[in-house]
Amino acid sequence: MDYDRQQEKFAAYYLNSAFRSFAAQIGIVLTGRRDLAWSDQASQEKMLRFAGEAARSTHEQLTELTVGGREYQLSFKMIVNSHEHSLFKVELMSSRAKEKLASSSGYEDLPLPYVVVRPFYDKNIHAANCEFVSVNRVFTQMLRMPEEELLGKKITSALPGEEEQWSTLPLEVLRTSRASSHRLYNKHLEAWCEFTILPAALPACVALAFTKIEDNAPKLEALQKSGSLAAQSAMLARTLNGPEDHDSEINFSLVEVASLLEPERIYMFEAIEGKAVLKYEWSQKGRLMGNISDRLAGQIISYCDRLRGQQPYLYVSDMESLRFDRELYELNRKNVRVLLFPLFSQQKLLGYLGIENFDADRLAYAKDLLAEYTRYLAAKLSVVGRLSRLPSPAASDHLTGLGNQSAYQSELQRLKDQRIAAGLIYMDLYDLRDYNADHGPQEGNLLLQQTADWLSVSFDSRQLYRISGEEFVAVLPEASEAELEKRQAELEKRQAGEKLVKLLWTGKVCDYPRHIFDAAKQLDQELSDRKTEYYASLGKE
């Protein structure tokens, strides 16, 4: 925005689409290429006075503007200052209702939920958040919550424990003014939801228009009727490794486990620098760890490890045994039984899965089911961890959390363009075809995830790519011949004692970046030849 001191007016230097939409909704419009017209003279005079004050400082200045019953927070940062003009970068930071807003009646008769929210960055939690502005009758009925418990409330307080995508996605639509469609599992609606997020007519708001609410009953009935533990485990694995959003897959898998064991609560807490952080939860009651102290969160992992000892699980049926920590005892004193399974990835403890107050007669079944389920869950958590470290999760392999073929080609092009020499190691999980035939596709998927875990011990996961069904590549920028030999020697040493992840590999250093694509093709052919020779030695095609 250009502030003209002489004429006491603003001119638009540049407005992005989101700000133009916001400005129009509060009565500020472009009348030419740069001229602005204000419908509210008082607001214009207030902003002009503030700009005059902000022009005296190079620091960011914040002000509030009230229009139509809403209060907006704007940031002014002076970019260029001259005798007659000041150029400001102006950002809409947040907005809130000065009084509780009523639900819009225009959407009351829609057969599916329709919600209008006001997204903003919540400085208290250092994350995106949303304020409910309008909800229709179907939404409140499905939530089993009255309208007054939603309107004007933040999503994090009205619907505690919901995954962060329900706040981050609306904020992204507000920022870009581009509608987007999604499929996520909603814990409070207890259903898979397909919905579109689009800019709303209200200032700085977006609407969530639900297009499908999926009934869980058929899936849960099929799981319960599947009979054997192996069949149930395979169905749980399919849920975890489907094409959906990762957090949604984990949340729904907890619903499936709950349908089989009928506990009061299932939860998973992650071990982050030795501290327990609640990540996923299914519960018939309130949250498990919402109010525990930082002290106890820092002790729970070590308590579980100590009580578990060398056992593959921890079973607590005598809550009096937890009196050594008063807060832990108070947290659990009303429980009848608690069963916890550790989650490991390559001997690294990721956290614990716990279930509370299930039928004692089903203890043996619960142990067997969770022993299988936690194998798949631990592998899934490793995938989520790798994805969080990728520069572009969109260019990733959904199953393993490594870069995909597209990301690999982009990395080769980057190395070529920037003239960076690199070492390439091509690796093949040569036994995958037979493993799938013997154990089934879900175990095959688990093996691929475990291979990614195994490789991440020797390589930075950000330098690993899964480029085909069973083929992986490690890219080592600026690697020397000595380093490449060292990496391959480490692979050979680790493979000597490996019983599950069996690899063939070949590698080379490409000293001439302009030929890196040719080097990649050569290595791919060499690996294919080695695989053919190996199968021939076994009498296989």
Side-chain angles (χ1 to χ4, degrees):
M1 301 284 285
D2 180 20
Y3 167 56
D4 187 331
R5 291 189 185 85
Q6 297 295 323
Q7 299 187 35
E8 283 290 308
K9 70 175 185 178
F10 287 112
Y13 185 82
Y14 168 77
L15 304 178
N16 70 7
S17 58
F19 200 93
R20 283 199 306 272
S21 175
F22 156 71
Q25 291 164 12
I26 64 171
I28 306 173
V29 296
L30 279 168
T31 57
R33 288 190 61 187
R34 299 183 61 195
D35 294 332
L36 295 171
W38 295 61
S39 61
D40 187 336
Q41 192 65 29
S43 296
Q44 181 186 21
E45 291 174 357
K46 178 180 180 179
M47 289 298 99
L48 287 170
R49 287 195 301 273
F50 180 77
E53 297 171 1
R56 303 189 187 111
S57 173
T58 59
H59 298 290
E60 179 186 35
Q61 304 291 314
L62 300 178
T63 187
E64 292 181 343
L65 178 67
T66 301
V67 179
R70 296 207 64 82
E71 193 173 78
Y72 304 95
Q73 186 180 60
L74 297 169
S75 160
F76 278 62
K77 183 172 179 57
M78 199 257 291
I79 305 298
V80 177
N81 199 19
S82 67
H83 178 65
E84 297 180 356
H85 293 265
S86 293
L87 190 64
F88 290 99
K89 178 183 178 182
V90 184
E91 292 182 282
L92 174 65
M93 305 298 290
S94 66
S95 65
R96 64 185 179 88
K98 296 210 49 150
E99 55 188 10
K100 189 165 71 173
L101 297 175
S103 174
S104 171
S105 61
Y107 308 105
E108 287 297 315
D109 297 328
L110 288 178
L112 289 169
Y114 189 94
V115 183
V116 177
V117 297
R118 195 177 307 280
F120 62 97
Y121 183 81
D122 193 334
K123 294 182 179 179
N124 293 325
I125 61 174
H126 303 289
N129 211 333
C130 291
E131 173 192 40
F132 284 104
V133 173
S134 175
V135 296
N136 72 349
R137 187 179 298 108
V138 176
F139 186 71
T140 59
Q141 289 174 344
M142 293 194 69
L143 278 180
R144 297 183 292 277
M145 293 177 67
E147 185 180 76
E148 55 268 21
E149 291 186 14
L150 295 171
L151 296 183
K153 302 289 182 63
K154 296 178 181 179
I155 192 171
T156 50
S157 59
L159 304 178
E162 205 58 76
E163 296 303 331
E164 63 179 16
Q165 293 96 319
W166 291 96
S167 296
T168 57
L169 292 173
L171 187 61
E172 179 67 13
V173 170
L174 180 66
R175 186 182 69 82
T176 63
S177 293
R178 295 177 181 174
S180 60
S181 297
H182 306 274
R183 174 178 163 86
L184 297 174
Y185 187 79
N186 188 288
K187 292 192 285 187
H188 290 82
L189 290 176
E190 299 178 349
W192 284 96
C193 302
E194 295 179 11
F195 58 97
T196 296
I197 310 175
L198 63 162
L202 289 172
C205 291
V206 299
L208 283 75
F210 290 75
T211 56
K212 183 178 180 181
I213 305 294
E214 190 172 294
D215 186 4
N216 291 338
K219 287 185 177 180
L220 299 182
E221 288 175 8
L223 176 66
Q224 293 161 5
K225 293 178 180 178
S226 58
S228 68
L229 178 66
Q232 291 170 345
S233 299
M235 293 182 73
L236 292 172
R238 278 197 293 274
T239 294
L240 285 171
N241 293 320
E244 315 289 356
D245 164 76
H246 291 290
D247 287 336
S248 291
E249 289 172 338
I250 294 173
N251 280 321
F252 186 65
S253 73
L254 294 183
V255 174
E256 291 182 314
V257 172
S259 74
L260 295 172
L261 297 179
E262 299 180 349
E264 286 187 2
R265 183 181 288 112
I266 305 177
Y267 51 86
M268 193 284 288
F269 53 82
E270 190 173 358
I272 300 179
E273 297 181 352
K275 183 178 180 180
V277 178
L278 182 68
K279 296 293 289 186
Y280 304 98
E281 181 182 28
W282 175 93
S283 177
Q284 294 179 358
K285 298 181 181 179
R287 290 172 61 82
L288 171 70
M289 296 186 183
N291 298 315
I292 71 168
S293 67
D294 287 341
R295 179 202 64 81
L296 181 56
Q299 293 292 323
I300 285 180
I301 298 294
S302 61
Y303 286 164
C304 289
D305 289 345
R306 187 182 75 195
L307 293 170
R308 182 172 60 86
Q310 299 301 312
Q311 297 298 315
Y313 57 83
L314 169 62
Y315 180 59
V316 181
S317 58
D318 177 13
M319 300 305 143
E320 293 298 311
S321 65
L322 303 179
R323 278 190 175 275
F324 62 86
D325 188 297
R326 182 171 181 176
E327 185 180 353
L328 181 66
Y329 171 71
E330 289 297 322
L331 189 68
N332 288 278
R333 65 186 179 86
K334 294 183 180 180
N335 284 328
V336 178
R337 60 190 62 84
V338 181
L339 179 62
L340 297 109
F341 271 76
L343 301 160
F344 285 101
S345 171
Q346 294 292 307
Q347 286 75 56
K348 177 185 177 182
L349 179 67
L350 302 178
Y352 274 86
L353 175 78
I355 65 170
E356 298 176 353
N357 302 336
F358 53 95
D359 189 340
D361 293 338
R362 311 191 77 189
L363 176 60
Y365 169 64
K367 291 177 180 178
D368 291 341
L369 179 69
L370 295 186
E372 289 296 305
Y373 172 66
T374 50
R375 292 194 306 128
Y376 300 113
L377 179 59
K380 184 69 171 183
L381 294 175
S382 292
V383 170
V384 173
R386 282 191 289 274
L387 283 171
S388 69
R389 295 188 289 272
L390 286 180
S392 175
S396 64
D397 173 50
H398 190 79
L399 182 64
T400 63
L402 301 177
N404 59 15
Q405 169 73 13
S406 174
Y408 174 56
Q409 293 296 317
S410 296
E411 176 64 3
L412 293 184
Q413 189 64 52
R414 183 187 73 85
L415 295 171
K416 180 180 178 180
D417 292 343
Q418 298 181 14
R419 300 180 181 179
I420 300 174
L424 303 177
I425 301 178
Y426 271 63
M427 296 160 284
D428 191 283
L429 186 64
Y430 62 84
D431 200 31
L432 181 63
R433 182 177 61 182
D434 292 339
Y435 192 88
N436 273 333
D438 294 340
H439 301 281
Q442 298 309 320
E443 287 296 312
N445 287 338
L446 179 60
L447 178 58
L448 285 165
Q449 292 171 331
Q450 291 170 333
T451 300
D453 292 344
W454 194 92
L455 290 172
S456 296
V457 174
S458 296
F459 303 96
D460 186 329
S461 62
R462 293 169 294 185
Q463 297 176 332
L464 288 168
Y465 302 85
R466 182 185 174 212
I467 61 172
S468 68
E470 56 203 42
E471 194 168 349
F472 299 81
V473 180
V475 180
L476 309 172
E478 300 180 337
S480 63
E481 291 285 355
E483 182 180 352
L484 189 75
E485 290 177 6
K486 180 181 178 181
R487 295 296 187 103
Q488 293 186 90
E490 180 184 348
L491 287 177
E492 187 170 0
K493 181 179 179 180
R494 292 182 64 211
Q495 278 285 287
E498 179 59 39
K499 297 180 180 179
L500 184 62
V501 177
K502 307 299 291 183
L503 298 168
L504 293 171
W505 67 88
T506 185
K508 68 176 297 184
V509 172
C510 180
D511 293 317
Y512 301 97
R514 66 179 180 273
H515 298 313
I516 195 164
F517 283 95
D518 294 331
K521 291 179 181 178
Q522 180 185 346
L523 288 172
D524 190 42
Q525 185 59 52
E526 286 181 10
L527 187 61
S528 179
D529 293 342
R530 287 195 178 189
K531 189 173 178 180
T532 300
E533 291 173 6
Y534 171 76
Y535 281 131
S537 69
L538 299 178
K540 298 181 180 180
E541 296 182 358

